[in-house]
């Protein structure tokens, strides 16, 4: 029976990460409530599994060092605008990202895909 509890805890752990610290930031005189993702685990989970996100809300991914980063939409069900911000707080790029179209998803070993 102990084994079942460990599995249950492992399944519930990602839900606990969603209880991130929330702060209010201002962009172009607009107040936005953001969840702070400043650990590897919080950044990896990101906004996965969310079905909705309020209009004036988002997630701020904080990194210790300035570096190029990649974002992905794995298990993300809502379209997002991702703003890349430099160390001075200036938005340097905004990318519109959409959930993958699961209807046309192709999953094969790369050696099996021929042009």
């Amino acid at each position: 029976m102990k084994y079942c509890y460990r599995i249950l805890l492992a399944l519930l752990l990602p839900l606990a990460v969603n209880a991130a610290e929330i702060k209010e930031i201002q962009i172009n005189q607009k107040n936005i409530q953001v969840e702070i993702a400043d650990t590897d685990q919080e950044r990896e989970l990101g906004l996965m599994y969310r079905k909705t996100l309020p209009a004036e809300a988002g997630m701020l991914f904080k990194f210790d060092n300035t570096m190029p980063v990649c974002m992905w939409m794995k298990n993300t069900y809502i379209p997002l605008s991702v703003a890349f911000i430099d160390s001075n707080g200036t938005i340097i790029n905004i990318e519109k990202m959409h959930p993958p179209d699961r209807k046309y998803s192709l999953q094969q070993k790369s050696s099996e895909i021929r042009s």
Side-chain angles (χ1 to χ4, degrees):
M1 193 66 168
K2 265 185 169 177
Y3 186 71
C4 292
Y5 288 121
R6 287 183 186 157
I7 292 172
L8 179 61
L9 179 60
L11 293 174
L12 292 176
L13 190 57
L15 299 175
V17 173
N18 280 342
E21 175 185 5
I22 297 178
K23 288 193 175 185
E24 186 172 274
I25 63 170
Q26 192 174 68
I27 298 177
N28 295 332
Q29 292 80 40
K30 185 178 271 190
N31 292 334
I32 300 173
Q33 299 289 319
V34 294
E35 295 176 51
I36 307 297
D38 57 2
T39 68
D40 288 341
Q41 186 178 15
E42 289 170 336
R43 288 188 293 261
E44 186 176 326
L45 182 62
L47 292 168
M48 283 189 204
Y49 309 109
R50 306 281 180 99
K51 300 289 185 179
T52 62
L53 185 68
E56 305 301 326
M59 181 171 279
L60 179 65
F61 293 78
K62 288 178 66 176
F63 295 91
D64 294 329
N65 301 309
T66 300
M67 63 185 163
V69 296
C70 295
M71 300 298 208
W72 61 87
M73 297 291 287
K74 178 181 177 185
N75 298 318
T76 304
Y77 307 118
I78 52 177
L80 301 171
S81 292
V82 179
F84 294 88
I85 305 169
D86 68 12
S87 58
N88 297 320
T90 303
I91 296 174
I92 57 173
N93 188 29
I94 298 176
E95 291 288 333
K96 293 192 182 293
M97 300 180 76
H98 300 279
D101 187 347
R102 298 186 196 292
K103 180 178 175 183
Y104 297 106
S105 178
L106 176 63
Q107 297 179 358
Q108 288 185 316
K109 292 180 184 175
S110 60
S111 62
E112 294 175 359
I113 299 176
R114 293 185 172 83
S115 52

